[in-house]
Amino acid sequence: MSGGPILLFDSGIGGLTVLREARVLMPERRFVYVADDAGFPYGVWGEGDLTKRIVTMFEQLISDHEPAQCVIACNTASTLVLEPLRTAFPDMPFVGTVPAIKPASERTRSGLVSVLATPGTVRRAYTRDLIQSFAAQCHVRLVGSEYLAGLAEAYIRGDPVKHRQILAEIEPCFVEQDGQKTDIVVLACTHYPFLANQFRRLAPWPVDWLDPAEAIAKRAQSLLAPQDAVSEEPDIAVFTSNEPDFAVRRLLNGFGLALAPMRH
Ligand code: DGL
């Protein structure tokens, strides 16, 4: 399977922000993009149900696409199912996307860091452990946004998204304490980089918006042997609903992804 594609997985279109970086580093590779849009948004799922859903889905995805590697381009899924996936498929390399708390704690000058994520990611023991292990010296504010992933999808579709809707979701990230201000906001949901310019425009003061996509792509590349031959086959996208709307199809087209059916 080492010549197989890289399978990138998310609940929706957020993982495309990781695909963009992965292609820059590995232009010779073929990619299969999988969006579980029938399960979107993952942020509101209970942990047991979501784990079962994703592990079951990967049985089929691995047998259908025989990937060389799977990248879980979703924080909400990675902070929950990375270990169950590795246990269920011990021969498959999995790369996860987890909140970039360690780099944020190394870079902050004020010591005030915020993590903007889905309510699921904010609830995870995995996220709390990251803070304890790598950012105990910082003040970390966890902001679980119920609507931002959906707003990012709407924005990318070209649907109207009001500034005040976005501002209401990001405002809790901005903390002032003892004369210091938040200086880094971790984008801990792969959907959010699509809105990064809006965040910059609406932010009460300038901060670094930390997008981990490039670091994830580097990690994925580091685990693969170099591939000499460029793949002839096209990159594809699989949507679990099998019915992405016109705007999403247009987006996939722009990414050079041919839509392929998901067997159910
Ligand atoms: N893109 C996903 C993440 O990185 C979450 C979006 C959702 O709620 O499904 O967390």
Side-chain angles (χ1 to χ4, degrees):
M1 288 192 226
S2 66
I6 298 177
L7 191 151
L8 266 126
F9 179 84
D10 182 34
S11 57
I13 60 175
L16 294 172
T17 61
V18 179
L19 174 66
R20 202 159 52 189
E21 299 298 331
R23 277 176 161 169
V24 172
L25 294 181
M26 298 174 278
E28 73 289 0
R29 286 276 170 184
R30 178 169 174 255
F31 291 89
V32 171
Y33 185 79
V34 180
D36 182 17
D37 62 330
F40 181 85
Y42 274 180
V44 297
W45 278 71
E47 299 198 342
D49 288 345
L50 188 57
T51 304
K52 212 161 121 205
R53 178 181 179 88
I54 296 175
V55 173
T56 308
M57 206 178 309
F58 266 84
E59 271 167 36
Q60 188 186 331
L61 291 172
I62 290 173
S63 105
D64 283 358
H65 302 288
E66 301 190 337
Q69 179 188 69
C70 296
V71 178
I72 309 301
C74 173
N75 294 260
T76 315
S78 296
T79 48
L80 184 66
V81 299
L82 266 184
E83 286 322 306
L85 283 171
R86 286 179 176 137
T87 306
F89 310 102
D91 298 330
M92 177 58 58
F94 285 94
V95 175
T97 306
V98 299
I101 288 166
K102 185 168 183 262
S105 77
E106 288 162 358
R107 268 184 232 176
T108 178
R109 289 169 306 279
S110 69
L112 299 182
V113 168
S114 291
V115 177
L116 185 59
T118 67
T121 300
V122 162
R123 271 197 307 270
R124 304 274 186 263
Y126 195 111
T127 305
R128 312 265 162 174
D129 287 350
L130 282 177
I131 295 172
Q132 238 176 16
S133 308
F134 300 113
Q137 76 289 6
C138 298
H139 178 273
V140 180
R141 155 96 42 113
L142 287 171
V143 179
S145 165
E146 201 172 326
Y147 303 113
L148 217 39
L151 290 175
E153 296 244 343
Y155 178 75
I156 286 303
R157 285 191 163 93
D159 294 344
V161 177
K162 296 252 184 310
H163 282 173
R164 64 172 160 73
Q165 290 175 288
I166 297 177
L167 187 58
E169 302 301 302
I170 65 169
E171 231 167 7
C173 294
F174 290 82
V175 179
E176 279 188 274
Q177 195 176 286
D178 302 330
Q180 298 288 348
K181 288 177 170 181
T182 303
D183 61 356
I184 300 194
V185 179
V186 178
L187 298 176
C189 167
T190 51
H191 278 69
Y192 300 168
F194 280 128
L195 289 173
N197 278 339
Q198 302 298 318
F199 295 166
R200 284 188 194 99
R201 287 172 71 187
L202 299 169
W205 58 80
V207 294
D208 278 351
W209 299 93
L210 202 63
D211 174 3
E214 192 188 344
I216 296 153
K218 279 193 180 141
R219 174 79 186 141
Q221 184 186 32
S222 75
L223 296 179
L224 286 168
Q227 181 178 273
D228 297 333
V230 176
S231 171
E232 293 280 353
E233 280 186 80
D235 290 354
I236 59 169
V238 175
F239 276 59
T240 55
S241 70
N242 278 331
E243 287 173 351
D245 65 21
F246 176 73
V248 171
R249 285 168 198 257
R250 201 177 43 196
L251 177 70
L252 298 177
N253 229 356
F255 269 83
L257 293 165
L259 194 60
M262 172 92 179
R263 281 190 302 108
H264 284 289

